[in-house]
Amino acid sequence: MPANDALSFLMAWTVAPFRVGSVTPSSSSLAALMTCDIGPETGPVLELGPGTGPFTRALLSRGVKEEDLTLIESDPDFAALLMRRFPAARIFEMDAVGLRHLSLFQRPAIGAAVSGLPFRLISPRRTFAILEAVFANLRPGAALYQFTLGRRCPFDQSLLDRLDLGVTRVGHTFRNFPPATVYRITRLNTSGTYDWRFA
């Protein structure tokens, strides 16, 4: 991890700890775990809260094309950094809740989503809106990959039930500060998937 990335993250956390959620960027070990199921065949990938881009770099190293990346970052300094580092990616400086009002594609086309958002610090109402928007853009069978710094899934079962989502634990890494667990979230019933944008 570049030293200036760690400093940028610490400064952002100092200003807005509930928005950033961690004092350091994610490690390469966590990035590898988050992206282990994703490759060039995945197609377009959505990333929420990329920060300084550790997951973005891991996605590129796995063969995902930079132009297939859509990055959603609310911090203006991080967004500007991402634009310099990944000029071919689509980068939106916005709160992920706004995805509900943004048509990323004309149809659900995203092959995977990865999230660095601190959902434990986000209200259930906002979490619901973000997840609903993400899965409206995901192809049938595609998954959202989410990490948490605790041992439990960051999404309450009642919220998962409302959206018909299931969770699988991908793995855990101690080579992150703090240690982190990664989960894969998918639709339980893809045959009757409901897209609120076209209903």
Side-chain angles (χ1 to χ4, degrees):
M1 168 198 326
N4 57 335
D5 280 10
L7 180 59
S8 296
F9 224 84
L10 180 59
M11 289 173 61
W13 180 84
T14 302
V15 172
F18 292 105
R19 186 178 69 201
V20 178
S22 176
V23 296
T24 61
S26 299
S27 69
S28 58
S29 176
L30 176 55
L33 191 59
M34 282 283 285
T35 60
C36 65
D37 294 338
I38 303 172
E41 70 287 348
T42 304
V45 176
L46 174 67
E47 184 175 357
L48 307 177
T52 57
F55 300 162
T56 316
R57 287 191 294 270
L59 289 166
L60 294 174
S61 71
R62 291 193 176 274
V64 177
K65 295 177 182 177
E66 189 172 316
E67 55 268 28
D68 278 342
L69 295 174
T70 298
L71 312 179
I72 308 296
E73 176 55 60
S74 63
D75 184 279
D77 293 330
F78 286 159
L81 177 68
L82 293 165
M83 289 175 189
R84 291 194 300 272
R85 288 184 173 174
F86 312 107
R90 293 198 308 166
I91 300 171
F92 294 90
E93 182 188 324
M94 59 180 286
D95 190 309
V97 172
L99 279 174
R100 183 163 171 71
H101 309 291
L102 180 68
S103 294
L104 294 176
F105 299 93
Q106 291 186 345
R107 58 182 176 78
I110 295 172
V114 296
S115 169
L117 296 179
F119 277 106
R120 285 287 180 203
L121 303 177
I122 299 174
S123 72
R125 181 180 59 82
R126 290 168 60 83
T127 296
F128 182 91
I130 293 169
L131 291 180
E132 185 180 43
V134 167
F135 279 91
N137 284 285
L138 286 179
R139 294 194 305 253
L144 164 68
Y145 296 85
Q146 175 69 47
F147 81 91
T148 181
L149 301 179
R151 285 283 187 169
R152 290 177 53 245
C153 177
F155 305 120
D156 290 338
Q157 188 60 51
S158 60
L159 185 146
L160 296 170
D161 290 343
R162 286 175 65 196
L163 290 167
D164 194 31
L165 301 177
V167 175
T168 305
R169 186 178 183 273
V170 176
H172 182 81
T173 179
F174 288 102
R175 296 173 64 189
N176 189 73
F177 181 76
T181 305
V182 174
Y183 292 92
R184 180 191 303 109
I185 299 94
T186 55
R187 286 275 189 202
L188 293 175
N189 179 16
T190 57
S191 60
T193 301
Y194 166 75
D195 189 338
W196 50 263
R197 294 174 307 163
F198 306 117

